[in-house]
Amino acid sequence: MIAEKMKNMVANSSAIRAMFEEGNRLAEIYGAENVFDFSLGNPNVPAPEAVKKAVKELIDEENPVVLHGYTNSNSGYADVRETIALSLNERFETNFEGKNIVMTVGAAGGLNVILKSLINPGDEVIAFAPYFGEYRSYTNNYDGVLVEISPDTKTFQPKLDEFEKKITDKTKAVIINTPNNPTGVVYSEETILKLTAIMEAKQKELGTEIFLISDEPYRELVYDGAEVPYLTKYYNNTVVGYSYSKSLSLPGERIGYLVIPDEAADSADLLAAANVATRILGFVNAPTLQQKVVAKCVHEKTDISFYDRNRETLYEGLKECGFECIKPEGAFYLFVKSPLADEKRFCAAAKKHNILIVPGSSFACPGFVRLAYCVSYETIVNSLPRFRKLAEELKEQTDESI
Ligand code: PLP
């Protein structure tokens, strides 16, 4: 029989994945062009040409024994880590060295490595709802306890009063994600200053260390000139988790990195722990070919104008249908208020029109739904008449009659 802990995990297994599988099933029945699958954050923009070129060059020119071998350090190739550190220093006026970078198996791998390195059983990890639902599982992997801060459903900025009250002597880490999945909200510098001031004060008051884990797979995906502050500059005990899944459209390649600055408490120990965690969680090291690819593509960018056009068209189109939503400044998600009190019923009603969307309860924020607009422009345009029909249908119905 499977482990007790896994029984719960299987039972609560990601609604997002289930929806994606449903999308494939519907596409087989109705044809892919008649299914409007907004369920998964799988980028529809191809990786930049430079990625293809880098893969080809590496395969043709690198020693295959090195290229496909284990890396000599579990934290990654020294030259790759150095290149990434220098590029961060150029962009954000930081002073990292290669040793501050740990190559990871995407953001998911990075979060698991840092939580494994930090969490003792019973330690608390704070997250602001709505949040990426996997944070709960990742925390639970190390017998930590996820403490939730309720959402501010007007602005989706973090509720700092509640945050301050919920920090205890058990709080070991706070995870933030900006630009945010599922809301697309970017936390302003003012918010970051307030949040980090609270953490500084609480560390002093409680005599503890509280780590800020900045989960940043969407850092590069911002619109209208929005600025995303680099958090190590605001708070010493910050660890950044980065991923190339969305920034270079490489989600299947499983590549990212952690930044553990010298200023973080017990930085050398934390770096050593992250190195060992990478090994013993079974990753051993981040994929070697992909480490070299991202180092060659360190200045490359995805085509943000593609997502921006989708964002404008879907946001304006949904508003015209009467749906309520704040305009996202980043990532590629819209978080829409459900016209029905139970948003799962709304998702079910949408599915009847072959529209697949994810209930907000998957992100600890019921009453809303998430649409991932990293789909083709045609999907957006062709979905709008369906959304209009859905809106009209819902006007005439109550929760119970759906
Ligand atoms: N964190 C957030 C907020 C995400 O949305 C995702 C993926 O969608 C991840 C982490 C995991 O990303 P990766 O593919 O880099 O593991």
Side-chain angles (χ1 to χ4, degrees):
M1 194 28 103
I2 64 170
E4 285 303 316
K5 220 166 144 180
M6 280 310 291
K7 282 188 192 162
N8 283 338
M9 297 237 180
V10 173
N12 301 324
S13 169
S14 172
I16 304 177
R17 274 273 155 198
M19 196 65 90
F20 183 65
E21 279 155 26
E22 180 66 1
N24 290 340
R25 193 185 69 82
L26 291 176
E28 270 180 29
I29 302 172
Y30 300 104
E33 69 287 2
N34 296 313
V35 178
F36 306 96
D37 187 351
F38 295 99
S39 62
L40 201 65
N42 205 8
N44 198 50
V45 176
E49 269 302 300
V51 168
K52 196 197 270 181
K53 191 165 162 267
V55 172
K56 282 186 172 163
E57 271 173 19
L58 286 163
I59 288 179
D60 288 342
E61 292 163 23
E62 270 277 350
N63 176 351
V65 175
V66 174
L67 195 60
H68 303 300
Y70 295 123
T71 25
N72 47 10
S73 160
N74 298 109
S75 299
Y77 287 118
D79 60 329
V80 171
R81 297 161 70 198
E82 194 62 35
T83 303
I84 289 172
L86 289 179
S87 82
L88 291 173
N89 295 346
E90 268 170 34
R91 284 181 68 189
F92 304 115
E93 294 170 358
T94 46
N95 54 359
F96 304 127
E97 295 172 37
K99 71 170 166 57
N100 298 114
I101 309 293
V102 178
M103 300 308 293
T104 63
V105 178
L111 286 168
N112 274 280
V113 163
I114 196 63
L115 291 172
K116 172 92 177 157
S117 303
L118 286 174
I119 301 298
N120 288 310
D123 282 350
E124 293 176 352
V125 176
I126 295 182
F128 296 92
Y131 56 80
F132 181 53
E134 301 288 52
Y135 294 161
R136 187 170 288 285
S137 310
Y138 299 162
T139 304
N140 183 261
N141 282 346
Y142 312 103
D143 296 324
V145 177
L146 191 90
V147 174
E148 200 170 288
I149 308 299
S150 65
D152 173 345
T153 54
K154 289 235 151 34
T155 64
F156 291 111
Q157 292 284 335
K159 267 193 191 166
L160 295 176
D161 293 351
E162 186 179 330
F163 174 56
E164 191 166 11
K165 288 192 194 114
K166 284 193 171 162
I167 297 177
T168 71
D169 58 359
K170 290 211 171 87
T171 307
K172 193 65 182 280
V174 176
I175 305 181
I176 67 168
N177 167 226
T178 163
N180 183 265
N181 174 11
T183 63
V185 159
V186 174
Y187 295 176
S188 65
E189 185 179 39
E190 196 192 338
T191 301
I192 297 299
L193 285 168
K194 286 185 188 157
L195 181 131
T196 51
I198 291 171
M199 292 178 67
E200 289 285 6
K202 282 285 174 186
Q203 286 194 135
K204 278 210 186 92
E205 179 193 322
L206 299 166
T208 55
E209 256 125 29
I210 307 172
F211 284 83
L212 179 59
I213 301 175
S214 181
D215 180 25
E216 304 195 349
Y218 303 98
R219 165 164 286 281
E220 322 301 346
L221 274 56
V222 284
Y223 314 103
D224 305 332
E227 295 278 339
V228 186
Y230 204 79
L231 293 185
T232 58
K233 292 163 70 176
Y234 295 82
Y235 184 71
N236 284 349
N237 285 338
T238 298
V239 174
V240 175
Y242 186 84
S243 165
Y244 294 92
S245 292
K246 324 283 169 160
S247 63
L248 291 183
S249 294
L250 295 174
E253 304 300 350
R254 314 304 306 131
I255 186 76
Y257 60 81
L258 288 171
V259 183
I260 301 177
D262 287 343
E263 292 76 15
D266 303 319
S267 174
D269 285 350
L270 194 50
L271 282 160
N275 177 291
V276 173
T278 300
R279 193 185 86 223
I280 66 177
L281 285 172
F283 303 127
V284 181
N285 53 243
T288 46
L289 169 62
Q290 297 307 329
Q291 289 190 41
K292 298 251 179 209
V293 169
V294 296
K296 274 180 176 272
C297 297
V298 83
H299 299 298
E300 290 300 321
K301 289 192 165 57
T302 193
D303 180 6
I304 194 77
S305 66
F306 172 92
Y307 296 127
D308 199 8
R309 184 166 74 147
N310 282 359
R311 175 182 75 123
E312 292 287 350
T313 310
L314 190 59
Y315 172 73
E316 294 300 335
L318 291 180
K319 243 181 27 178
E320 275 169 28
C321 297
F323 292 108
E324 281 178 50
C325 171
I326 55 160
K327 191 169 187 183
E329 284 188 294
F332 42 48
Y333 305 106
L334 285 186
F335 206 50
V336 178
K337 191 164 176 2
S338 168
L340 300 175
D342 179 353
E343 91 280 6
K344 287 187 180 145
R345 284 176 174 271
F346 177 46
C347 294
K351 206 172 95 180
K352 289 188 188 150
H353 294 265
N354 282 357
I355 296 173
L356 300 179
I357 52 183
V358 181
S361 41
S362 299
F363 306 94
C365 190
F368 289 79
V369 295
R370 189 194 77 173
L371 281 69
Y373 58 82
C374 47
V375 295
S376 74
Y377 186 61
E378 290 67 43
T379 300
I380 305 269
V381 171
N382 295 335
S383 71
L384 290 176
R386 305 277 183 128
F387 275 112
R388 183 168 296 282
K389 265 199 191 151
L390 175 64
E392 280 162 12
E393 176 188 303
L394 292 181
K395 259 186 223 147
E396 290 149 24
Q397 299 190 19
T398 60
D399 268 36
E400 289 68 37
S401 63
I402 300 291

